[in-house]
Amino acid sequence: MRGPLKNYRLGFDPWALALFSALMAPNLFWAAFPAPADVLQKPSATPALDALASACQMLAIAALILLRRKEGLPSLSRWAWAALGFLLLYYLGWALYYQGQAGPWAILLLTLPPCLSLLSFCLARKNSPALVPLAVFTACHLVYGVVNFL
């Protein structure tokens, strides 16, 4: 590859897939078993933004899972631990939401930590091609959460 991707090669990162799966698991559970006082079911007021967010999310996840640095994987870093910590905060948000607490803290925990987990993982893997779509996804996801639920 040439240009900005010259330091990357196609390769499968199972840890990226594992993180994405762990982030999506609560959404699949929620789709099958809606929570009490399920405010997340209301129609979105930001459909164009949601489409941009989905496209950026797909690009970012593809980059995280399919692009690897030529020099190999970095060792476990503070960014990898941060990714795990943000994943746990996200699960806390779902726990609050399923307890019927759909207030601002629960919504923020469902909005920011999954994005920050992916961004932290991206930094841990030094996967710069995923940074731009992840940053755009994070901004869109935050606006979506604030406009639609806060």
Side-chain angles (χ1 to χ4, degrees), residues 29-53:
F29 182 85
W30 167 74
F33 307 101
D38 199 358
V39 299
L40 297 178
Q41 292 288 348
K42 81 177 201 175
S44 176
T46 57
L49 191 71
D50 302 346
L52 175 61

Side-chain angles (χ1 to χ4, degrees), residues 3-143:
L5 296 178
K6 68 181 179 188
N7 294 325
Y8 297 88
R9 63 179 171 83
L10 288 176
F12 176 69
D13 188 341
W15 288 108
L17 180 60
L19 176 60
F20 182 65
S21 298
L23 288 166
M24 292 308 295
N27 293 285
L28 297 173
F29 182 85
W30 167 74
F33 307 101
D38 199 358
V39 299
L40 297 178
Q41 292 288 348
K42 81 177 201 175
S44 176
T46 57
L49 191 71
D50 302 346
L52 175 61
S54 292
C56 287
Q57 181 186 33
M58 286 188 286
L59 286 171
I61 296 306
L64 284 174
I65 293 173
L66 299 175
L67 287 179
R68 296 179 72 145
R69 291 186 63 79
K70 286 182 179 175
E71 70 218 23
L73 293 176
S75 62
L76 199 58
S77 69
R78 68 178 193 265
W79 290 115
W81 288 108
L84 178 61
F86 287 125
L87 174 65
L88 295 175
L89 281 175
Y90 179 56
Y91 285 168
L92 173 63
W94 277 110
L96 292 172
Y97 190 72
Y98 268 88
Q99 290 177 351
Q101 299 179 35
W105 282 110
I107 296 299
L108 286 174
L109 285 171
L110 295 177
T111 303
L112 275 177
C115 300
L116 296 175
S117 182
L118 289 169
L119 282 166
S120 297
F121 184 84
C122 182
L123 292 171
R125 289 294 202 241
K126 298 179 182 176
N127 189 326
S128 54
L131 272 176
V132 170
L134 271 175
V136 174
F137 170 69
T138 300
C140 291
H141 203 245
L142 181 60
V143 170

